[in-house]
Amino acid sequence: MSKAETIIELRGIKKVYQMGGHALEALSGVSLEIGRGEFVSVMGPSGSGKSTLMNIIGCLDTPTSGEYYLEGKNVAGLTFDQLSSIRNQKLGFVFQNFNLLTYATAWENVEVPLLFNGKNARRRRQRITELLEAVGLLDWKEHRPSELSGGEQQRIALARALANDPPILLADEPTGNLDSKSGEDIMGLLGGLWKEGRTIVMVTHDDRIAAHSERTIRLFDGQVA
Amino acid sequence: MNLTLPRFFLREFRKRRKKTALITFALFWGTLCVLILLAFGRGMSAQSRVAFSGLGENLIMISGGQSSIVHGGLAKGRLIRVYPNDIEDLKKRIPEIAVIAPESYNGWPVSARGKELNRTVHGTTPEFAGLRTQIPQPGGRFINADDEAEGRKVAFIGWKVAADFFGGEEAVGKEIIVNRVPFTVIGVLQKKIQNSMYQGPDADQVYLPFSAFSQIDSQPYLDRIHVQPRELGLSKLVEERIRTVLGRKYRFDPADRYALGIWNTIDNAREQEKIFKRIEIFLGVIGALTLFIGAVGVTNLMYAVVRERTQEIGIKMAVGARRRTIVLQFILETLFIFAKGTFWGFITAFNIVGLVRLIPLSEEGFGIGAYLLRPVFSMDIFFIFLGIVGTLVFLAGIFPATRASRLNPIEALRYE
Ligand SMILES: Nc1ncnc2c1ncn2[C@@H]1O[C@H](COP(=O)(O)OP(=O)(O)OP(=O)(O)O)[C@@H](O)[C@H]1O
Ligand SMILES: [Mg+2]
């Protein structure tokens, strides 16, 4: 896989948080490349900048300096709305705490990215059915997040991340809030997605979870170790 | 036009109706209170005007007095009277007078059908009707020029006099005895609202042609002369001319305020006008305060509800919402809540005002009910209200949403 086309490329990415008077450098010059179809895990001690890095890769946050090329295109110059459509179509993001809309049903949560992508009702219905079937929760489509277990909520979040069939799936400790059985279910799904050819970047603390990936990037104090 | 997003917004709005119910209710309640309050205020003000105009507008009433200034070699303290021939003199000398009528009265026993009551009986000319708003009930009339010229024994009576003698029966054509002389009733005064009166309410009065009255009354002078100037603006001028003309005739100083008793309704009207203004200002201030408190409350609620949704905005941005999609959703929701609350407030206020107006007023004079039970619904107030509250609510709803949409998705997601 080493000769594969680079899909994500970071060069000297820095992220500085201004906290009152002093500045905190969460990332101090991270450079890395991830090839299309790779399954990479990111590990490192707490506070080492893993989430900060993932948020930048996921276009949820912008770096203080450095360059980020996504499919060869520099992300720095893009407008908010251009980034929105990247988040909508190129990247799927799974959070540790799920981040589902609490007032909406499982079905409706999965529908949101499809709505923002302008899909018509028939195509939405078709796609949501497909996705909920894939994560094994079609029967739970009318349930709200509060009526679902953590593992189920994360599967809904995963279905939502995959709504517009993005080439890249990003997951920040997707199993962090789950029991080991649910965690294994999620990992099984991620493994399957990788085999389908998707690029996966996942943060984890757990070596057994990291073992599912091809390669591990280790962060320490905001730098690649 | 693609309705996918608007439909989605509508669905989300419905789902969260409970969260915004309080705002909707606050808007409803605020609209209701302000509109009702102002409707009652308007009503009071309008009714005061109606009541005041019951006496007749732009009227000068002249009666005799007592001189208080030495003038032309005559001592002060002389009684000054006005006489029937003053009518012709004043009309001739003061062209600004539009209508002029004499009036004298006396308290006499009036009887009919074996019942005798003491009533005030007036002698006056046909012009009096227009001056003092003496509108006859259908089937009757006021004294006319022929009655006056021929000294006919006819009478125009208040509706209570008619009721006292004839009950519900038609009074016109019946006979009443005034001071032992029989008179035929030619008309009954129509009921009217009146809060400014002299000599008791019009309902209890009896009017005779001046010529006929003079035959049964021995008083040579008039009790009053009623004058209506051609225009409201001429009122003070006419008043001064009357003092000058009569001063020359009866030899008193025109500057002597006590030589004649002059009641000029324009003075009252000005006083009354000030009172109406004060009432309106008072209610306006209360309305503005109510509006302000309501608007602050609604604004606050709106702001809190939208802020609470920063995380939701973060989630939506993370899965691909554009900035304008986020802002549009909040604009539509705000519009929805605003329209719903104010619509129902308006409908309710409108109906309450309508229902209150259906309550019949008591026919006796002009009680408190006439002021309280005739609220006037005014659209101008409603639109001003909509404008002010609308602006505030919109700012309160859109400002935090716009601010949230300016955040990075991750900042919005982390927002507590
Ligand atoms: N919004 C922020 N403002 C200020 N400092 C921040 C912010 N987000 C993160 N940090 C700081 O940046 C550093 C890196 O944080 P980050 O969340 O990326 O670590 P992490 O590796 O994901 O840790 P964990 O394993 O605990 O999730 C930490 O010191 C953290 O306190
Ligand atoms: Mg983290």
Side-chain angles (χ1 to χ4, degrees):
Chain A
M1 282 268 179
S2 57
K3 282 289 145 226
E5 163 204 1
T6 302
I7 191 164
I8 291 168
E9 182 180 357
L10 304 184
R11 279 196 219 147
I13 292 286
K14 288 194 181 180
K15 180 71 187 182
V16 180
Y17 290 112
Q18 292 297 337
M19 301 228 305
H22 60 101
L24 188 143
E25 199 171 67
L27 293 177
S28 29
V30 172
S31 299
L32 56 82
E33 283 182 26
I34 294 168
R36 189 181 287 279
E38 256 196 294
F39 188 164
V40 175
S41 58
V42 178
M43 295 191 81
S46 183
S48 57
K50 304 182 297 294
S51 293
T52 307
L53 178 67
M54 287 298 275
N55 293 336
I56 288 171
I57 295 176
C59 295
L60 298 173
D61 205 354
T62 46
T64 311
S65 66
E67 285 155 45
Y68 171 18
Y69 295 93
L70 181 66
E71 292 187 321
K73 219 161 76 182
N74 193 348
V75 163
L78 300 181
T79 64
F80 184 95
D81 285 356
Q82 287 170 321
L83 291 175
S84 281
S85 75
I86 288 179
R87 289 192 292 267
N88 187 241
Q89 288 149 49
K90 297 273 180 235
L91 304 161
F93 209 109
V94 176
F95 301 87
Q96 180 173 356
N97 62 349
F98 324 132
N99 275 334
L100 295 172
L101 296 172
T102 50
Y103 55 85
T105 62
W107 178 280
E108 287 162 349
N109 267 289
V110 178
E111 191 176 19
V112 177
L114 295 166
L115 283 162
F116 292 147
N117 195 17
K119 292 270 180 277
N120 69 30
R122 193 181 53 80
R123 303 216 4 225
R124 292 202 302 271
R125 207 179 312 121
Q126 208 179 326
R127 182 68 182 147
I128 302 165
T129 311
E130 229 169 76
L131 288 162
L132 288 178
E133 238 160 25
V135 298
L137 289 174
L138 191 54
D139 293 342
W140 277 261
K141 65 180 181 189
E142 296 301 335
H143 290 241
R144 290 183 184 215
S146 59
E147 299 156 354
L148 297 170
S149 72
E152 287 161 347
Q153 288 184 64
Q154 195 61 298
R155 276 143 71 194
I156 297 297
L158 184 58
R160 178 180 67 183
L162 296 169
N164 290 311
D165 200 12
I168 303 166
L169 187 68
L170 305 171
D172 189 352
E173 298 193 46
T175 60
N177 282 5
L178 306 180
D179 59 85
S180 55
K181 167 76 182 66
S182 302
E184 281 306 323
D185 289 348
I186 294 291
M187 289 319 296
L189 288 166
L190 288 184
L193 290 165
W194 171 51
K195 290 205 180 84
E196 284 170 13
R198 238 171 279 258
T199 309
I200 297 178
V201 185
M202 172 188 72
V203 171
T204 182
H205 272 128
D206 189 332
D207 288 319
R208 276 173 304 166
I209 298 288
H212 289 264
S213 69
E214 297 174 282
R215 171 158 79 102
T216 299
I217 294 173
R218 293 193 183 269
L219 276 191
F220 193 79
D221 261 1
Q223 282 179 310
V224 180
Chain B
M1 194 185 144
N2 190 346
L3 289 176
T4 311
L5 282 177
R7 276 208 203 99
F8 166 61
F9 296 155
L10 187 64
R11 186 180 80 193
E12 293 223 307
F13 177 70
R14 290 228 178 93
K15 279 191 174 285
R16 270 190 312 246
R17 215 164 9 199
K18 269 187 213 137
K19 291 228 166 167
T20 55
L22 192 60
I23 301 176
T24 313
F25 181 76
L27 273 168
F28 161 79
W29 189 247
T31 308
L32 180 66
C33 289
V34 170
L35 291 183
I36 293 270
L37 181 78
L38 294 176
F40 277 93
R42 277 267 163 115
M44 270 166 80
S45 200
Q47 287 298 96
S48 310
R49 277 171 224 272
V50 170
F52 185 69
S53 68
L55 187 70
E57 270 163 358
N58 190 19
L59 195 65
I60 302 171
M61 274 172 265
I62 307 141
S63 55
Q66 201 171 17
S67 68
S68 64
I69 298 175
V70 179
H71 181 77
L74 294 167
K76 59 183 183 181
R78 278 182 311 125
L79 284 179
I80 311 288
R81 306 279 194 204
V82 290
Y83 291 88
N85 64 12
D86 292 345
I87 302 289
E88 277 311 308
D89 286 349
L90 289 172
K91 214 175 356 185
K92 238 187 304 178
R93 297 256 160 79
I94 312 175
E96 291 85 359
I97 290 177
V99 188
I100 185 164
E103 185 192 4
S104 277
Y105 56 84
N106 214 333
W108 277 321
V110 177
S111 58
R113 301 221 165 139
K115 193 170 168 188
E116 187 176 284
L117 299 163
N118 271 307
R119 287 289 171 266
T120 307
V121 180
H122 306 248
T124 191
T125 55
E127 290 79 12
F128 186 83
L131 292 174
R132 292 289 313 277
T133 341
Q134 303 288 316
I135 301 164
Q137 289 177 8
R141 62 175 178 83
F142 194 69
I143 297 155
N144 67 20
D146 291 342
D147 298 334
E148 179 58 29
E150 294 166 22
R152 284 181 194 156
K153 302 282 186 290
V154 293
F156 180 79
I157 61 177
W159 70 87
K160 277 184 73 182
V161 178
D164 288 341
F165 288 126
F166 308 110
E169 273 178 59
E170 178 60 64
V172 175
K174 302 261 163 51
E175 188 167 85
I176 57 171
I177 312 291
V178 179
N179 198 18
R180 293 187 297 278
V181 180
F183 282 77
T184 308
V185 175
I186 51 166
V188 177
L189 176 64
Q190 186 142 59
K191 285 168 190 172
K192 63 177 175 180
I193 293 174
Q194 180 191 27
N195 74 340
S196 168
M197 61 177 83
Y198 67 111
Q199 219 80 73
D202 282 351
D204 279 326
Q205 314 297 310
V206 174
Y207 292 92
L208 310 178
F210 190 76
S211 50
F213 179 89
S214 302
Q215 289 174 32
I216 56 170
D217 188 64
S218 56
Q219 178 184 290
Y221 55 87
L222 298 174
D223 285 306
R224 254 181 235 110
I225 296 174
H226 300 259
V227 170
Q228 184 165 50
R230 292 201 187 280
E231 286 167 34
L232 202 61
L234 294 172
S235 193
K236 280 290 163 190
L237 177 81
V238 169
E239 185 185 323
E240 288 315 312
R241 292 256 167 97
I242 290 167
R243 291 188 203 276
T244 310
V245 171
L246 295 181
R248 201 172 301 145
K249 191 170 173 184
Y250 298 117
R251 292 196 282 167
F252 61 83
D253 187 342
D256 188 345
R257 297 289 110 173
Y258 297 94
L260 293 174
I262 294 190
W263 181 19
N264 193 336
T265 54
I266 198 153
D267 296 333
N268 279 52
R270 284 188 184 139
E271 272 310 301
Q272 203 84 7
E273 199 59 43
K274 274 189 212 158
I275 295 170
F276 298 151
K277 279 270 145 58
R278 276 182 216 145
I279 292 178
E280 284 204 12
I281 290 171
F282 174 69
L283 289 166
V285 168
I286 290 184
L289 286 178
T290 311
L291 188 86
F292 181 73
I293 292 166
V296 166
V298 169
T299 306
N300 217 350
L301 279 172
M302 195 75 208
Y303 188 78
V305 165
V306 176
R307 248 169 70 119
E308 214 182 79
R309 290 172 59 185
T310 305
Q311 205 183 1
E312 169 198 324
I313 292 173
I315 293 175
K316 285 180 179 160
M317 292 196 295
V319 300
R322 289 161 183 237
R323 263 192 186 131
R324 60 171 168 275
T325 307
I326 299 288
V327 175
L328 182 67
Q329 175 163 23
F330 281 88
I331 289 176
L332 291 179
E333 282 200 18
T334 309
L335 191 71
F336 239 81
I337 293 169
F338 181 68
K340 206 169 144 186
T342 50
F343 174 77
W344 288 113
F346 170 81
I347 293 292
T348 313
F350 191 80
N351 282 305
I352 289 176
V353 167
L355 285 177
V356 168
R357 287 181 68 93
L358 290 179
I359 300 172
L361 296 181
S362 81
E363 288 166 358
E364 301 289 319
F366 199 73
I368 188 85
Y371 289 97
L372 289 182
L373 300 179
R374 288 297 175 270
V376 179
F377 202 83
S378 28
M379 291 307 282
D380 53 345
I381 287 172
F382 181 62
F383 285 123
I384 292 171
F385 173 85
L386 279 190
I388 294 173
V389 177
T391 309
L392 287 171
V393 167
F394 261 83
L395 291 179
I398 287 153
F399 174 68
T402 310
R403 214 185 41 172
S405 80
R406 300 243 162 263
L407 297 173
N408 274 339
I410 202 72
E411 287 165 342
L413 277 171
R414 285 219 195 92
Y415 193 89
E416 292 300 327

